[in-house]
Amino acid sequence: MSNVESVAQAEVPGAAGVPVSPDGGPEKPRSLTGDAWDDLRRNWIFWAAAVLVVLVVVMAAFPSLFTSADPDACALSRQHQGPSGSAIFGYNFQGCDVYARTIYGARNSVLIGLFATIIAGVIGLIVGMAAGYFGGWIDAVLARGIDIVLGIPTLLAAIVLARRLSADPQDTGFWAVVFTLGVLTWTTGARIMRSSVISAKNQDYVAAARMLGAGPGRLMFRHILPNAAAPFVVVLTILLGVNISTEATLTFLGVGLKGNAISWGIDISTAAPYVRETATPLVWPSIFLAMTVLAFIMLGDAIRDAFDPRLR
Amino acid sequence: MRGQFPLKMAVGATAIMLLAAGCSGGGDDETSAADALVSIGIGEPQHLIPSNTTESNGAEVLAALFSPLVDFDADNKPYTVAAESVESTDNKVWTVKLKDGYTFHNGEKVGADNYINAWNHAAYGPNGNGGSYFMERVEGYKDLQSEDPDGDGPQKAPDPKAKTLTGLKKVDDLTFTVTLSEPFSGWRSVMGYTTFYPLPAAAWASEGVLKEDYEQAPIGNGPFKIKGTWQHDSKIEVERYDAYPGEKPKVGGVTYKIYQEQTAQYADLMGGALDVVTQIPIENLATAPADLGDRFKTSSNSVFQFVGFPTFLSQYSKVEVRKAISMAINRKEITDNVFRGSQTPATSFVSPAVAGYRENSCGEACTYDPAKAKAAYDAAGGPKQIKITYNADGGHKAWVDATCNQLKTNLGVDCVGVGEPKFADLLTKVENKEDVGMIRLGWIMDYPLMENYLGPLYGTGGSSNYYGYSNPEFDNLVKQGSAAPTEDEAIKLWQQAEDILARDMPVIPLRLGQNVFGHSERVKNVEVDKFQKVEILKIEATS
């Protein structure tokens, strides 16, 4: 007991002498997050990605800020008309405003990416943490479970699952896609969580908390999670981008969003056969999709670099 | 051919197509043009048994292997081919005399028994033939059917009362009579359909039971005989049958190449691996005239496209509502912009392919007038939301969406198109009386008579009357027309029946089809008939 106490005491920052900054004032203790933020602030990729992400999120939340045109107002008489003052991206096959449809299409993409990632995050968090914290046979079972799900080809399983879940042709397929992506993509997060928990639970502060009588719940969520969360959040950010792109892929293949939903995947798939006639209805949703996916992945990458001390 | 048109084209399996393309039968330089091989693109047929072939892919192949009793000239007048004469004095008892000298590809002589046995097999309910309903008019048809007492349940349907039609009687080896249950002046034309081809003795495993593998290599009485067997999802090869006594083909053989997608057919035509594409896909229509030059062709066919209102949906029960919806649809804009001029607006309930067609028999109801439509729609209290259900495998989404957009703009309603995976799913929902809204339907004629566009589609209990329309006055006129002694009188009565449709608007006529086809430089005299089949005796090789 006394042994542990003395170790804990020795670790208290500043006990042996408070570090003094050049101007003489006491410097705040540096945390990992603080270091990472310092690093991120100087990274232009982070800022570019962040601006794009904010832009897309605002677009998804308030599409009417960007366009006054109605994406559902279509007239065949305007079919494949080129860009003009009223429609800067021109009109598509059905004579709908390509710009308006592209702006309104952001909402489905972002929401599906977000919800699917939340589902994946919750499953990954629970499974990863349980496996890492309890170890033993629980870990063995859960880790093999992760391996099994990881072994399923995501796209193939998604096609089967999304089609099963959304058999009713009147359904837009939104929740089917969310659920499909959520239950198929949580494995990476769970693995990361598991390994961070394993390394964190052997830290002395955890042992200390345990000695002080903290139960498993308190230990996991108050002591281990905050210190193991950073890499997990990074993986989820990247996953969000990947999910948006997978949603578009499923929709393009005809098993994702359908019917009258407005989505980049639908617009890309309907414009594709007419690309020899006019390319703009295909090109613009593709660019927006690519930029959004890229933004989330770059954001995740930048944060990961900042949190990983080895890359500093 | 029942409403399943246009053909279903499944996606996938490009590997098989490449395989087929590799075996292109271009014909070598040594052979003369008369022995040349040509290739025609089709989809995988469902069957190659005449009585079970009601889709155009199988019908296309069977037309080369079999010779019909009657065929049709450019004016749709029937003329005899395998029959010497088809006569009747009262339109009820028909005497069919066969030409002497026709043989099956295995050398067997074609006689009256070959027809009678084939037709009995077609009509016998438990055989489940798709073309069975063509025999409905023959006396005794009802006795060959039986009803399953518990639908799809475990109990089996009892055997029907009889195995043969009482209306079919052999007179001598080359003559037989057909007795109809009710007089029908158009019976001669009906017998031109695929279902009425004869079957050789070699086709039967035992009396009334077809050999299981017959359709893998059908033996027919036509100008071509099959070479090898049906290579599923790849090709069907046929070669000239030299003992054929009728008009000789001008090529040595035909390879029917089987494709999953129409766009792949077009790509093969461009690449020189295919000679004839009978239906150029919409996606390629904008560029096809430039790609093909004078080898890009159109001809009229018998396709009629429309939407129906299921009678169990009360929101469409007022005729004013149905009429207003019809008037709010700009057909011309859709045929021009969605179908790129490959279809034309329909202003009548029958196709110009048949005698008795009158332009604009639908009248004001099929004339685009958005202002009047809106006023009438509001006055009649039409529904605020309109739904159009279609089968998603037939390429219908584009025009359904366009139609919905027009209705939204012109009537101020909300409109959605709902795609069911297959036509059968759509029909199941209609049978269960679900709220399907308007339903998409299409029709290719079975025989070139105006009656074929009336009775099966709108008659009470008609074989393709999916919306449940019933009007005794209409039924009566169609029946009287069918029994009329001359065609002119028949047409007059049928036209009166069509006028009733224009008044009641049980469906909205939308478009008339057209064959839009193309061919390679290796072939000439390519024609596609009103049944969407290549004229197999006319096609020639260029060198």
Side-chain angles (χ1 to χ4, degrees), chain B residues 16-17 20 40-45 230-236 256-261 265:
Chain B
I16 293 164
M17 261 140 31
I40 298 173
I42 58 169
E44 169 82 357
W230 174 5
Q231 298 173 38
H232 291 270
D233 295 311
S234 167
K235 62 180 171 174
I236 299 168
Y256 292 96
K257 289 190 180 171
I258 299 170
Y259 290 83
Q260 275 74 29
E261 285 179 82
Q265 281 194 32

Side-chain angles (χ1 to χ4, degrees), chain A residues 122 124 149 218 232 256:
Chain A
V122 169
V149 178
R218 187 177 169 83
F232 183 65

Side-chain angles (χ1 to χ4, degrees), chain A residues 72-80 93-94 96 167-170 259-260 266 270 273-274 276-277, chain B residues 282-283 286-287 291 333-334 337-338 340 387 397-398 401-402 405 408-409 416-420 429:
Chain A
D72 280 325
C74 311
L76 268 185
S77 52
R78 300 192 299 239
Q79 182 182 72
H80 286 168
F93 183 81
Q94 293 285 357
C96 316
D168 181 1
Q170 300 211 46
N260 302 301
I266 289 180
T270 47
Y274 301 99
R276 273 177 78 187
E277 286 177 53
Chain B
I282 295 175
E283 289 90 340
T287 49
D291 289 346
E333 196 172 75
I334 291 178
N337 286 332
V338 178
R340 305 295 157 90
K387 199 190 295 181
K397 187 174 171 21
D401 284 351
N405 287 331
K408 274 190 221 167
T409 313
V416 289
V418 179
E420 292 288 341
K429 291 217 163 170

